[in-house]
mmCIF file of all heavy atoms in Angstrom:
data_model
loop_
_atom_site.group_PDB
_atom_site.id
_atom_site.type_symbol
_atom_site.label_atom_id
_atom_site.label_comp_id
_atom_site.label_asym_id
_atom_site.label_seq_id
_atom_site.Cartn_x
_atom_site.Cartn_y
_atom_site.Cartn_z
ATOM 1 N N ASN A 40 17.415 -32.680 35.692
ATOM 2 C CA ASN A 40 17.881 -32.978 34.347
ATOM 3 C C ASN A 40 17.006 -34.056 33.717
ATOM 4 O O ASN A 40 16.605 -34.997 34.396
ATOM 5 C CB ASN A 40 19.338 -33.461 34.363
ATOM 6 C CG ASN A 40 20.288 -32.299 34.603
ATOM 7 O OD1 ASN A 40 21.054 -32.303 35.541
ATOM 8 N ND2 ASN A 40 20.211 -31.302 33.753
ATOM 9 N N ALA A 41 16.713 -33.863 32.438
ATOM 10 C CA ALA A 41 15.953 -34.844 31.659
ATOM 11 C C ALA A 41 14.514 -35.023 32.128
ATOM 12 O O ALA A 41 13.866 -35.992 31.792
ATOM 13 C CB ALA A 41 16.662 -36.201 31.644
ATOM 14 N N GLY A 43 12.055 -33.118 31.236
ATOM 15 C CA GLY A 43 11.140 -32.746 30.156
ATOM 16 C C GLY A 43 10.902 -31.251 30.011
ATOM 17 O O GLY A 43 9.982 -30.830 29.288
ATOM 18 N N LYS A 44 11.722 -30.429 30.637
ATOM 19 C CA LYS A 44 11.510 -28.977 30.587
ATOM 20 C C LYS A 44 11.685 -28.433 29.166
ATOM 21 O O LYS A 44 10.818 -27.727 28.663
ATOM 22 C CB LYS A 44 12.497 -28.268 31.530
ATOM 23 C CG LYS A 44 12.399 -28.735 32.971
ATOM 24 C CD LYS A 44 13.382 -27.998 33.864
ATOM 25 C CE LYS A 44 14.843 -28.187 33.499
ATOM 26 N NZ LYS A 44 15.339 -29.588 33.620
ATOM 27 N N SER A 45 12.815 -28.786 28.532
ATOM 28 C CA SER A 45 13.039 -28.284 27.163
ATOM 29 C C SER A 45 11.993 -28.847 26.212
ATOM 30 O O SER A 45 11.531 -28.150 25.297
ATOM 31 C CB SER A 45 14.436 -28.652 26.684
ATOM 32 O OG SER A 45 15.408 -27.994 27.453
ATOM 33 N N THR A 46 11.621 -30.088 26.423
ATOM 34 C CA THR A 46 10.581 -30.687 25.573
ATOM 35 C C THR A 46 9.259 -29.916 25.706
ATOM 36 O O THR A 46 8.574 -29.667 24.712
ATOM 37 C CB THR A 46 10.389 -32.174 25.937
ATOM 38 O OG1 THR A 46 11.644 -32.846 25.772
ATOM 39 C CG2 THR A 46 9.324 -32.822 25.065
ATOM 40 N N LYS A 49 9.654 -26.784 23.679
ATOM 41 C CA LYS A 49 9.622 -27.061 22.233
ATOM 42 C C LYS A 49 8.216 -27.424 21.780
ATOM 43 O O LYS A 49 7.810 -27.114 20.656
ATOM 44 C CB LYS A 49 10.591 -28.205 21.912
ATOM 45 C CG LYS A 49 12.051 -27.780 21.983
ATOM 46 C CD LYS A 49 12.973 -28.973 21.761
ATOM 47 C CE LYS A 49 14.415 -28.584 22.086
ATOM 48 N NZ LYS A 49 15.242 -29.761 22.396
ATOM 49 N N GLU A 87 17.486 -22.561 24.318
ATOM 50 C CA GLU A 87 18.480 -23.043 25.270
ATOM 51 C C GLU A 87 19.845 -22.419 24.978
ATOM 52 O O GLU A 87 20.222 -22.296 23.820
ATOM 53 C CB GLU A 87 18.598 -24.577 25.132
ATOM 54 C CG GLU A 87 18.611 -25.297 26.440
ATOM 55 C CD GLU A 87 18.417 -26.806 26.241
ATOM 56 O OE1 GLU A 87 18.256 -27.263 25.094
ATOM 57 O OE2 GLU A 87 18.426 -27.520 27.238
ATOM 58 N N ASP A 163 14.369 -20.844 27.850
ATOM 59 C CA ASP A 163 14.942 -22.103 28.315
ATOM 60 C C ASP A 163 16.342 -21.856 28.858
ATOM 61 O O ASP A 163 17.299 -21.679 28.099
ATOM 62 C CB ASP A 163 14.978 -23.122 27.176
ATOM 63 C CG ASP A 163 15.161 -24.542 27.680
ATOM 64 O OD1 ASP A 163 15.442 -24.722 28.882
ATOM 65 O OD2 ASP A 163 15.039 -25.480 26.865
ATOM 66 N N GLU A 164 16.475 -21.853 30.169
ATOM 67 C CA GLU A 164 17.760 -21.659 30.846
ATOM 68 C C GLU A 164 18.558 -20.468 30.308
ATOM 69 O O GLU A 164 19.685 -20.632 29.832
ATOM 70 C CB GLU A 164 18.595 -22.936 30.785
ATOM 71 C CG GLU A 164 17.859 -24.097 31.409
ATOM 72 C CD GLU A 164 18.801 -25.212 31.844
ATOM 73 O OE1 GLU A 164 19.931 -24.902 32.244
ATOM 74 O OE2 GLU A 164 18.372 -26.373 31.786
ATOM 75 N N MET A 167 22.189 -20.027 31.596
ATOM 76 C CA MET A 167 23.140 -21.144 31.515
ATOM 77 C C MET A 167 24.532 -20.649 31.123
ATOM 78 O O MET A 167 24.700 -19.924 30.148
ATOM 79 C CB MET A 167 22.662 -22.148 30.477
ATOM 80 C CG MET A 167 23.432 -23.453 30.482
ATOM 81 S SD MET A 167 23.162 -24.292 28.937
ATOM 82 C CE MET A 167 21.702 -25.234 29.333
ATOM 83 N N VAL A 195 12.365 -21.499 32.232
ATOM 84 C CA VAL A 195 13.047 -22.697 32.711
ATOM 85 C C VAL A 195 14.389 -22.263 33.278
ATOM 86 O O VAL A 195 15.128 -21.535 32.612
ATOM 87 C CB VAL A 195 13.281 -23.716 31.573
ATOM 88 C CG1 VAL A 195 14.240 -24.825 32.015
ATOM 89 C CG2 VAL A 195 11.974 -24.326 31.127
ATOM 90 N N GLN A 197 17.614 -23.560 36.110
ATOM 91 C CA GLN A 197 18.139 -24.555 37.059
ATOM 92 C C GLN A 197 18.144 -23.996 38.472
ATOM 93 O O GLN A 197 17.947 -24.734 39.438
ATOM 94 C CB GLN A 197 19.578 -24.960 36.689
ATOM 95 C CG GLN A 197 19.702 -25.746 35.402
ATOM 96 C CD GLN A 197 19.291 -27.197 35.549
ATOM 97 O OE1 GLN A 197 19.001 -27.663 36.646
ATOM 98 N NE2 GLN A 197 19.220 -27.912 34.444
HETATM 99 MG MG1 MG B 312 16.688 -28.604 28.894
#
Side-chain angles (χ1 to χ4, degrees):
N40 285 122
K44 303 180 299 296
S45 294
T46 301
K49 287 175 190 158
E87 225 167 0
D163 197 351
E164 302 202 33
M167 190 199 271
V195 168
Q197 292 283 355

